[in-house]
Amino acid sequence: MDSVWINAPAKINIGLDVLRRREDGYHEVKMIMQSIRLFDRLTLTKTSEAGIHLHTNLRFLPVNEDNLVYRSAKLLMDEFGIQEGVDIRLDKRIPVAAGMAGGSTDAASCMLAMNDLFQLGLSKRALMKRGVTLGADIPYCILKGTALSEGIGEKLSTIPETPDCYVLIAKPSFHVSTKFVYTNLVLDEHTEHPDIDGMIQSMKKNDLTGLCQQMANILETVTIPAHPEIADIKRCMMENGALGSLMSGSGPTVFGIFDDLDKAAFAKEKCRSLPYKCFVFVTDLYR
Ligand code: ATP
């Protein structure tokens, strides 16, 4: 086997809470992570020439150590003393810097593919242990599906699956700095925290409507005042049939949950005609 390909799914946060800011500057989070069927594609090919050669369809993305894919491949090549080279083609479809863990899922998939291509024999757990050294979300992206993420994002537990639904993604063209959002997040006795445990109870009962009513993301308290367009997109989804709508991660991506594909397609067209240029996409959950 000289070549392998793998799909790297995006994630959304069905719920996102920040419990506290740690002394070391990291934040303790409690998040419900869900993979969706929006994928980047990685193709890895062995080369006789040593080294890592990364190519991507997005010209503005780095193809050196600044790309998480490069770093994740290098981590395994160094540890296992791999003498051959690898050519990596990264086809990106997940919007960049959007709150959908694009870079982390690429790195996770690169590690899974390297494990296959060079027959390293590492278990998922062993890959997750290595992945966390590059980014807190990488272990989840190796695991995929529905999971509760705690600590700084590295403590993962299995929870009941999100009920079947359609997901409308709308990513406006402006960028949001994750650092800005976390720096400006106010956590005090007045802070209202999302009820993550309540959401998990709804998932246990397979109650999509109940879950959608509880969905919340504490980071909206920072991102929405800075970018009120996000509230407009949420409103557009809710007025056009969504059972719930929320910002994912630190934004700016907004997603809507629908129980009907036609309703999701209709809302997609409505979001497309909003004054801000939005990437819009209807998909479903990746199990
Ligand atoms: P998260 O949801 O984990 O906060 P995100 O979806 O907001 O992540 P990414 O798409 O991962 O953000 O991109 C964040 C930054 O990481 C970009 O500015 C980009 O230059 C850099 N980056 C490094 N590697 C990649 C990659 N493979 N794909 C996308 N961005 C990458």
Side-chain angles (χ1 to χ4, degrees):
M1 181 178 61
D2 285 333
S3 191
V4 291
W5 64 265
I6 185 166
N7 278 335
K11 66 89 182 148
I12 53 173
N13 295 105
I14 300 287
L16 194 162
D17 194 11
V18 180
L19 305 180
R20 65 180 190 99
R21 198 171 270 123
R22 300 195 323 193
E23 303 267 294
D24 59 8
Y26 282 99
H27 289 83
E28 230 165 74
V29 293
K30 189 165 177 178
M31 314 188 279
I32 300 177
M33 317 285 277
Q34 175 64 57
S35 308
I36 56 168
R37 295 201 311 128
L38 167 61
F39 303 103
D40 287 343
R41 161 79 61 106
L42 286 94
T43 310
L44 281 72
T45 308
K46 274 187 197 170
T47 58
S48 47
E49 191 191 331
I52 300 161
H53 301 278
L54 176 61
H55 323 261
T56 163
N57 58 327
L58 297 184
R59 261 180 299 153
F60 61 86
L61 270 190
V63 289
N64 54 18
E65 299 251 359
D66 291 333
N67 196 306
L68 275 174
V69 168
Y70 189 104
R71 290 226 290 280
S72 61
K74 185 163 184 331
L75 185 149
L76 293 177
M77 288 188 104
D78 289 351
E79 180 180 342
F80 288 87
I82 297 169
Q83 299 298 318
E84 298 160 281
V86 64
D87 177 280
I88 307 176
R89 168 83 208 167
L90 169 63
D91 285 303
K92 284 213 66 88
R93 290 189 68 210
I94 304 171
V96 175
M100 286 192 281
S104 302
T105 194
D106 293 346
S109 291
C110 180
M111 294 181 85
L112 288 162
M114 287 286 292
N115 192 36
D116 273 0
L117 188 64
F118 293 101
Q119 297 180 8
L120 306 180
L122 294 170
S123 65
K124 268 194 187 170
R125 286 273 151 210
L127 288 172
M128 287 159 76
K129 212 174 103 195
R130 288 161 175 80
V132 75
T133 64
L134 299 178
D137 281 347
I138 295 178
Y140 162 71
C141 293
I142 291 173
L143 194 67
K144 304 178 193 145
T146 314
L148 178 68
S149 162
E150 295 174 283
I152 60 161
E154 85 297 3
K155 281 189 207 152
L156 294 170
S157 21
T158 310
I159 52 174
E161 289 189 338
T162 307
D164 280 335
C165 59
Y166 298 97
V167 182
L168 168 60
I169 298 291
K171 150 79 176 64
S173 53
F174 56 84
H175 285 263
V176 172
S177 149
T178 303
K179 192 164 174 241
F180 166 85
V181 176
Y182 275 94
T183 309
N184 288 284
L185 177 66
V186 177
L187 294 173
D188 60 23
E189 66 279 14
H190 305 296
T191 308
E192 233 183 87
H193 289 270
D195 181 9
I196 301 287
D197 294 332
M199 292 177 214
I200 295 171
Q201 283 310 314
S202 295
M203 292 160 92
K204 211 177 202 167
K205 289 186 258 170
N206 203 33
D207 175 7
L208 185 63
T209 307
L211 173 64
C212 287
Q213 283 163 357
Q214 290 166 307
M215 287 195 318
N217 176 348
I218 199 168
L219 300 180
E220 285 188 345
T221 59
V222 183
T223 312
I224 291 186
H227 298 281
E229 301 93 324
I230 291 172
D232 289 346
I233 300 170
K234 288 181 61 169
R235 201 174 309 115
C236 179
M237 290 190 184
M238 293 306 289
E239 285 173 358
N240 290 287
L243 296 173
S245 177
L246 198 68
M247 185 180 83
S248 186
S250 53
T253 297
V254 174
F255 67 88
I257 300 285
F258 294 80
D259 57 4
D260 180 279
L261 184 57
D262 290 338
K263 283 188 208 160
F266 181 76
K268 175 177 123 176
E269 292 313 315
K270 291 286 181 186
C271 288
R272 204 201 287 280
S273 57
L274 284 170
Y276 351 100
K277 262 180 40 192
C278 271
F279 162 86
V280 285
F281 189 79
V282 175
T283 185
D284 56 8
L285 307 180
Y286 178 81
R287 302 286 188 196

